[in-house]
Amino acid sequence: MKRVPSVCVRKARVVTGYLHICYSCVPTNIIFLRRFRYRLKMNCSKPALKGVEKIPLLNREEYKLSYLQRVAYGFGHVFNDLCAAMWFSYLLFYLQIILQMKATIAGILLMIGQVFDALATPVAGWAVDKYGTKKSWHLMGTVMVVISFPLVYTKCFLCLEDNEIQQLFYHILVIVLFQIGWAIVQISHLSVIPNITDVPAQRSELTAIRYTASVCSSVVAYIVTWLVLRSQSQVDTVIGPSDYPKFREIVIVLLIMGAISTVIFHCGVDWNKCNKKSSNTNSLLNVPKKNMFLSPILYQISSLYVASRLFMILNLVYMPLYLEEQAAINGDIGNINLREYLASVPLVSFVASFITSIVLKYKTDSWGNKNTYLFGSIISLSSCLSVGFYIPQTSNVFFIYIVAVLVGTGSSITIVSSLCLTAKMIGPNVDQGASVYSIVTFTDKLICGVAVVIIEHMKCADKSLCPEYYRYVLANVSGAAALFGIITLGTLKLSQRHHTSTLHI
């Protein structure tokens, strides 16, 4: 009976046959083709080492994640994303406009949250890798967020209303608890990606799904905000301290949605896969496991993520204040409901992010992560240039929405591509995934917090001295962040040329 070759051998013959046709004019490649075919055959036939899980060379059907697994994973960070939308977009607005805090104090509170988030991130990464399971850590972080997040947007009932010191310490306490829980959920959720699949394409898909879910969560948060804050009266267009109960209603609605999403995540993910150990092979960057944290490429990828996050967060934080600033400058803004602007502009931005993330899900591998990041950075720069150089004489609705689309598209592309680079950096070293992600996300939280404090401290005490302060923040500071990402990308390409790796990220 004629022996039927295995699937791997048949595929090897197809690949080598194609290469042989392409390079048949070069005799020296015959030896390479024979060695390639032999190694591919040996990889399929030899047994895996004891205690080491064999990494598949080919993306076979049995390694493909089910649709339920992918959807369930996307729900795992929804609660965090709902909270983040309120935190970055409306915290400064809430503290300054609703609670009537000074701009410097509000900026300090946001910085404290970012600093504790940054400090908790590497600790959470180390703890998730060393102790317990990712499921237990995710649950613990979720409980902390459930307790603390509503208190951030709630006045201290035990404090005197006129005592600013008591109010300040109350907000510091609940913000610190919230940010620690948020960091635990973020790191435990990110570290699941290398565990549930070894295929790089599927890791990129999960990263895109995660960001798509993040964008959808932000869209939902802004829709809820728009529905609650919108006024039926044409006269009541200004938001003030009397709107405090409405912010509390928004938080309660988002809290219920986040809890439901967490339940879906824990019921749908195969947690048995998340307990597997890493192999002793190197990552896609060919960096030895023990030397991964000494590789400069890791910190260059971290810088790419920092640039993309700083650009996005600055736009989230200062876009509402920019709109309020334009409302004070342009006399005809009263014809447009500022309440609807406050939610509709971020909503348009995240709708653009959602559409972009869907495209990235299918095109990131073909375009290349580095080329994709460069394209996103150029779009981000274009939004900053539009705000900086184009000065509408009146409140131009079309202009504001165009800027929102550019911001959403650019931030979506850069964040997804930088996280895909991180997943490829980890490779099969899954037991260090949480630590790697904690390093990548550590710096952006710290830098974003410091940047907000510096921006708020430099603001003029008298608004008449700098009436367009937040416009220049969006144009200059956000533009500098996007430019920093482009420069870092160039250094990453130079580093890879001198790197011993034969594979590319």
Side-chain angles (χ1 to χ4, degrees):
M1 179 181 293
K2 185 178 180 181
R3 185 176 174 221
V4 179
S6 64
V7 175
C8 279
V9 174
R10 292 202 304 270
K11 290 187 176 181
R13 290 176 179 174
V14 173
V15 173
T16 54
Y18 173 75
L19 292 174
H20 182 71
I21 293 173
C22 296
Y23 300 101
S24 59
C25 58
V26 185
T28 55
N29 279 322
I30 300 298
I31 299 176
F32 163 76
L33 295 175
R34 291 175 179 173
R35 288 179 179 177
F36 174 83
R37 182 173 171 181
Y38 172 76
R39 289 177 182 176
L40 186 60
K41 180 177 179 180
M42 291 301 295
N43 185 79
C44 300
S45 59
K46 65 181 180 180
L49 297 176
K50 184 177 181 181
V52 178
E53 184 175 348
K54 187 176 179 181
I55 305 299
L57 182 62
L58 298 175
N59 185 8
R60 295 180 293 179
E61 187 68 25
E62 55 264 33
Y63 289 97
K64 188 175 182 180
L65 291 173
S66 65
Y67 180 77
L68 177 61
Q69 287 273 310
R70 287 174 285 174
V71 171
Y73 176 79
F75 277 96
H77 205 255
V78 166
F79 194 10
N80 262 20
D81 294 324
L82 292 172
C83 298
M86 288 295 296
W87 171 265
F88 290 115
S89 295
Y90 300 117
L91 180 67
L92 286 183
F93 187 89
Y94 169 79
L95 295 176
Q96 295 184 44
I97 306 301
I98 305 299
L99 298 187
Q100 298 291 301
M101 284 189 180
K102 296 179 180 178
T104 304
I105 296 178
I108 290 175
L109 285 175
L110 192 144
M111 187 201 70
I112 290 174
Q114 292 301 108
V115 169
F116 273 90
D117 188 9
L119 295 176
T121 297
V123 176
W126 171 79
V128 169
D129 283 336
K130 296 295 182 181
Y131 303 103
T133 61
K134 292 177 174 60
K135 180 179 181 179
S136 60
W137 281 107
H138 191 278
L139 280 174
M140 185 181 74
T142 302
V143 171
M144 296 173 65
V145 173
V146 168
I147 295 173
S148 58
F149 176 63
L151 298 178
V152 174
Y153 291 89
T154 303
K155 294 180 180 179
C156 179
F157 295 106
L158 301 178
C159 306
L160 299 176
E161 292 187 4
D162 298 333
N163 195 324
E164 295 182 356
I165 302 298
Q166 292 181 359
Q167 294 285 346
L168 179 63
F169 276 101
Y170 162 77
H171 280 93
I172 290 176
L173 180 63
V174 296
I175 284 174
V176 168
L177 181 62
F178 165 67
Q179 290 293 352
I180 293 175
W182 199 96
I184 294 174
V185 173
Q186 181 195 33
I187 296 302
S188 59
H189 185 255
L190 278 171
S191 61
V192 169
I193 295 178
N195 284 82
I196 59 179
T197 178
D198 296 312
V199 182
Q202 293 183 13
R203 290 183 179 183
S204 298
E205 182 182 9
L206 287 176
T207 303
I209 290 174
R210 182 182 186 274
Y211 188 78
T212 302
S214 174
V215 171
C216 292
S217 304
S218 300
V219 169
V220 170
Y222 294 130
I223 291 176
V224 172
T225 303
W226 176 71
L227 291 175
V228 175
L229 289 181
R230 68 192 300 262
S231 174
Q232 301 297 332
S233 173
Q234 295 295 329
V235 179
D236 186 17
T237 60
V238 180
I239 298 178
S242 60
D243 293 294
Y244 164 74
K246 294 186 177 181
F247 276 87
R248 190 170 53 187
E249 294 173 7
I250 295 171
V251 170
I252 293 175
V253 173
L254 299 182
L255 186 68
I256 296 174
M257 293 180 176
I260 296 174
S261 301
T262 303
V263 172
I264 295 174
F265 169 67
H266 281 273
C267 293
V269 171
D270 184 4
W271 292 101
N272 293 326
K273 290 185 177 181
C274 296
N275 297 325
K276 68 182 181 180
K277 301 297 181 181
S278 70
S279 67
N280 294 326
T281 56
N282 297 337
S283 67
L284 289 183
L285 288 175
N286 201 24
V287 179
K289 179 179 175 180
K290 63 180 180 180
N291 296 328
M292 178 179 292
F293 299 105
L294 301 178
S295 172
I297 297 181
L298 172 61
Y299 302 99
Q300 288 171 311
I301 294 176
S302 301
S303 299
L304 291 178
Y305 183 75
V306 167
S308 58
R309 284 284 297 176
L310 182 60
F311 172 82
M312 186 188 74
I313 288 174
L314 288 176
N315 280 276
L316 283 177
V317 171
Y318 290 110
M319 184 61 75
L321 294 173
Y322 166 74
L323 294 174
E324 192 269 340
E325 182 181 78
Q326 294 299 309
I329 295 175
N330 299 312
D332 64 339
I333 194 76
N335 297 328
I336 302 173
N337 196 332
L338 180 60
R339 294 175 178 270
E340 297 186 4
Y341 251 162
L342 199 63
S344 62
V345 172
L347 177 61
V348 169
S349 178
F350 274 91
V351 168
S353 296
F354 172 71
I355 297 174
T356 305
S357 62
I358 293 177
V359 176
L360 290 176
K361 179 181 176 182
Y362 301 100
K363 293 296 183 180
T364 300
D365 290 333
S366 60
W367 292 348
N369 292 314
K370 290 176 290 186
N371 294 331
T372 304
Y373 189 95
L374 178 61
F375 178 65
S377 298
I378 294 174
I379 295 178
S380 301
L381 271 178
S382 65
S383 69
C384 300
L385 293 174
S386 300
V387 174
F389 290 99
Y390 178 71
I391 306 175
Q393 299 299 322
T394 58
S395 54
N396 194 323
V397 180
F398 178 76
F399 165 75
I400 294 176
Y401 285 133
I402 287 295
V403 172
V405 169
L406 293 175
V407 169
T409 304
S411 59
S412 175
I413 293 174
T414 53
I415 289 178
V416 170
S417 56
S418 61
L419 287 177
C420 289
L421 288 170
T422 306
K424 290 190 175 183
M425 173 78 185
I426 296 172
N429 300 323
V430 294
D431 62 344
Q432 290 185 326
S435 299
V436 172
Y437 278 116
S438 65
I439 291 176
V440 171
T441 59
F442 166 80
T443 312
D444 91 274
K445 299 173 181 179
L446 190 61
I447 289 180
C448 290
V450 173
V452 169
V453 169
I454 294 175
I455 291 171
E456 291 299 307
H457 180 71
M458 294 178 63
K459 181 183 177 182
C460 304
D462 187 0
K463 289 185 177 181
S464 61
L465 298 178
C466 48
E468 293 187 290
Y469 180 75
Y470 291 118
R471 170 174 166 255
Y472 291 112
V473 168
L474 293 178
N476 298 329
V477 185
S478 298
L483 185 61
F484 173 71
I486 295 176
I487 295 173
T488 304
L489 184 65
T491 62
L492 178 61
K493 291 185 177 182
L494 290 176
S495 298
Q496 280 194 280
R497 290 181 181 179
H498 296 86
H499 203 270
T500 56
S501 174
T502 58
L503 297 175
H504 300 279
I505 56 177

